[in-house]
Amino acid sequence: NPNIIQTLRYQLSDRGLHTYSISPLSQTLKSEQAEQRLQAQLLTLQDKIVSKSGKRLLIIQGANCQAMINVLIKNKDVYVDAIVLLSAHSATPTLASQLISQMHQLKAPILDLYAQTDSLAIINQAKLRRIAAKRINTDKYRQTEVIGLQGQVETQIATSQIIYGWLVKLGWY
């Protein structure tokens, strides 16, 4: 939902981060064409911000997580300093396993957020990612459940506070 993400972007801007948006995919992430479109958008964005100093935080949501992680794995010239996953999920168990495997190939620290109001499939996939991270004993992965609040704006403010706290822990502030 672009309105939900927009609130989060405003909150992060208030914390001193510059935000850029890549349009979400409208179709399910099965096609090579969808990933190619995302790759083109990421490369364009990277060219736009290459001259700017500072850290690069990539926030991806829902089914877009799978394609974005694929793009990052396949393109070493596209880099980010940290990644936030919001309610990440995959269409099939095979893709969910692939996402888990690929996440741990990245060097960037990952904050994996899901909401208690997410679907059971999203919550179950989040639990599998947490178990996999514990198995390989990685300290670059952190997972947090976002407690649902009265409204979407309040939930996004809480989400931005969680992200900000994590960035403080990473030494960004």
Side-chain angles (χ1 to χ4, degrees):
N1 183 338
N3 294 329
I4 294 172
I5 292 299
Q6 192 63 33
T7 302
L8 178 58
R9 289 183 67 195
Y10 289 144
Q11 288 293 313
L12 292 172
S13 292
D14 289 346
R15 302 267 187 204
L17 293 172
H18 297 286
T19 62
Y20 298 91
S21 178
I22 294 176
S23 64
L25 301 171
S26 57
Q27 68 267 29
T28 306
L29 301 174
K30 293 179 183 171
S31 73
E32 191 73 23
Q33 186 179 19
E35 280 188 28
Q36 288 172 350
R37 196 177 91 217
L38 262 180
Q39 178 182 348
Q41 289 178 354
L42 256 182
L43 289 171
T44 300
L45 178 60
Q46 178 150 316
D47 289 343
K48 181 178 180 179
I49 62 174
V50 75
S51 63
K52 297 189 185 276
S53 62
K55 304 276 189 178
R56 296 178 184 196
L57 173 65
L58 177 64
I59 300 175
I60 41 184
Q61 181 179 21
N64 286 322
C65 296
Q66 181 77 48
M68 291 296 281
I69 297 295
N70 276 338
V71 168
L72 290 174
I73 291 291
K74 293 176 183 176
N75 298 281
K76 301 299 180 191
D77 53 334
V78 177
Y79 71 94
V80 295
D81 296 299
I83 299 169
V84 175
L85 305 176
L86 298 175
S87 300
H89 63 277
S90 302
T92 67
T94 303
L95 287 175
S97 295
Q98 178 184 337
L99 176 62
I100 290 168
S101 170
Q102 288 180 325
M103 280 177 19
H104 299 297
Q105 294 175 36
L106 296 171
K107 292 181 177 28
I110 298 172
L111 176 61
D112 187 354
L113 301 177
Y114 68 96
Q116 65 182 180
T117 56
D118 282 339
S119 73
L120 188 56
I122 292 172
I123 292 170
N124 286 338
Q125 287 182 22
K127 289 177 183 176
L128 292 174
R129 290 191 300 274
R130 184 179 63 241
I131 290 167
K134 285 182 180 179
R135 279 192 190 136
I136 64 170
N137 196 22
T138 182
D139 59 350
K140 66 179 182 173
Y141 177 84
R142 180 175 174 194
Q143 187 178 86
T144 303
E145 177 183 38
V146 179
I147 307 300
L149 299 172
Q150 293 277 345
Q152 290 180 341
V153 172
E154 292 84 358
T155 300
Q156 288 307 305
I157 291 170
T159 301
S160 70
Q161 290 170 341
I162 291 168
I163 293 169
Y164 178 73
W166 180 65
L167 294 175
V168 167
K169 184 177 183 229
L170 292 177
W172 286 30
Y173 290 96

